Amino acid sequence: MTAAVPRTRLERVRAAAGIASLALQQIEDDLSADDVDQEELAAILRELIEDTDPPGGFMASVAQLLSVAARRAEQVEPDRDGDASCPLHEAAALITDEAGQRLIWAARALHPQGDG
């Protein structure tokens, strides 16, 4: 029997990012299908932003990941000057406030039914 070699944190992150990339590629392939109509496109967009699993939807999960990275950066960045953490906090806010809202607007423009 061979002893398992523990993965490093970076290897785990790299593997998880690879899995997420494959999942995003699947969504991109589905969006590119010739038979996607406006109602289905709106539903797909809503899936990225609605409270599903995990709570808050995909976009909220990405924003949360960046917020966690920002909080960690606050603890480890030299001089605690915000050079690393501020851009991460801003990126999280842009995803939540800007990208998320624009997805909502696009979904409503494509198919208003289902809102509310």
Side-chain angles (χ1 to χ4, degrees):
M1 185 184 332
T2 307
V5 178
R7 288 180 141 185
T8 67
R9 182 174 289 118
L10 183 56
E11 288 171 330
R12 288 190 309 270
V13 168
R14 188 174 291 129
I19 292 167
S21 180
L22 289 172
L24 291 172
Q25 182 61 53
Q26 179 61 55
I27 295 168
E28 185 177 330
D29 291 347
D30 288 334
L31 287 169
S32 300
D34 290 335
D35 62 343
V36 174
D37 63 13
Q38 67 186 44
E39 184 176 346
E40 187 175 22
L41 179 55
I44 292 169
L45 294 175
R46 285 184 179 98
E47 283 299 314
L48 298 175
I49 54 175
E50 289 183 349
D51 289 335
T52 57
D53 186 24
F58 174 78
M59 297 299 284
S61 295
V62 173
Q64 175 64 26
L65 182 137
L66 293 173
S67 292
V68 169
R71 288 191 298 273
R72 187 64 187 149
E74 288 169 354
Q75 297 170 349
V76 299
E77 62 189 337
D79 302 324
R80 297 189 187 262
D81 56 8
D83 284 349
S85 59
C86 284
L88 290 168
H89 280 300
E90 289 170 359
L94 285 171
I95 288 172
T96 302
D97 299 339
E98 298 292 328
Q101 187 61 48
R102 281 169 172 67
L103 283 173
I104 292 168
W105 292 338
R108 285 180 182 160
L110 289 164
H111 189 254
Q113 185 178 15
D115 289 329

